[in-house]
Amino acid sequence: MDFDNLLLSGCNLLNNYLITHPEVLEELQSCQTRSRLVQAATVLVIQGEKLARNDDINGAVEKFGKAQQWDNKLKFDSQTRARELAQGKTDLTPSPFPAKGKGSKKVSKIQSLSPLRREVWREVKGVASKRELL
């Protein structure tokens, strides 16, 4: 097995970890594929939203900006979204993941995600909850 194949195998084995830990994916440029970056962008948005709700506007804007670099389908103003989340005005700016159907906004946003993005969202949410307990 040559080095390139070994590297590819390692990246594939770490796929889910890299998606849910975008800061690690950012450092490992050789593991950055278009698919991984787009999926990790979802995690960056979730992280940014949490930062904004905790009044870290600059941190949120940075996460949103990186997410938009990685997934060009994410169309929203980072500054505005961060400020509105910090002020609790989440109804003013639509989520970058548009809701479909009826029901609560939070549930419909999650349901509108692809199965993999829902899995990533749940995993990130679980990690964040565990950290809050520590």
Side-chain angles (χ1 to χ4, degrees), residues 76-132:
F76 58 96
D77 182 83
S78 298
Q79 282 284 343
T80 302
R81 180 145 182 85
R83 285 192 183 113
E84 289 172 352
L85 285 165
Q87 296 169 358
K89 298 179 183 177
T90 56
D91 293 341
L92 298 177
T93 304
S95 170
F97 314 110
K100 295 179 183 174
K102 296 182 179 181
S104 78
K105 282 190 172 190
K106 187 170 188 176
V107 171
S108 60
K109 286 178 187 177
I110 296 167
Q111 290 172 344
S112 71
L113 300 175
S114 70
L116 180 58
R117 285 186 177 201
R118 282 194 301 266
E119 179 183 329
V120 168
W121 186 88
R122 287 184 186 113
E123 188 169 334
V124 168
K125 188 83 168 155
V127 169
S129 296
K130 289 176 187 173
R131 286 186 181 161
E132 290 170 2

Side-chain angles (χ1 to χ4, degrees), residues 57-82:
I57 303 294
N58 293 333
V61 168
E62 185 178 325
K63 295 281 185 182
F64 292 155
K66 179 61 70 178
Q68 290 173 322
Q69 286 176 2
W70 288 3
D71 183 355
N72 60 6
K73 292 181 182 174
L74 296 176
K75 304 288 185 197
F76 58 96
D77 182 83
S78 298
Q79 282 284 343
T80 302
R81 180 145 182 85

Side-chain angles (χ1 to χ4, degrees), residues 32-50:
Q32 293 178 6
T33 63
R34 178 77 184 129
S35 174
R36 274 191 200 106
L37 291 174
V38 168
Q39 292 171 34
T42 303
V43 176
L44 288 168
V45 170
I46 293 167
Q47 291 174 344
E49 288 175 345
K50 184 171 181 169

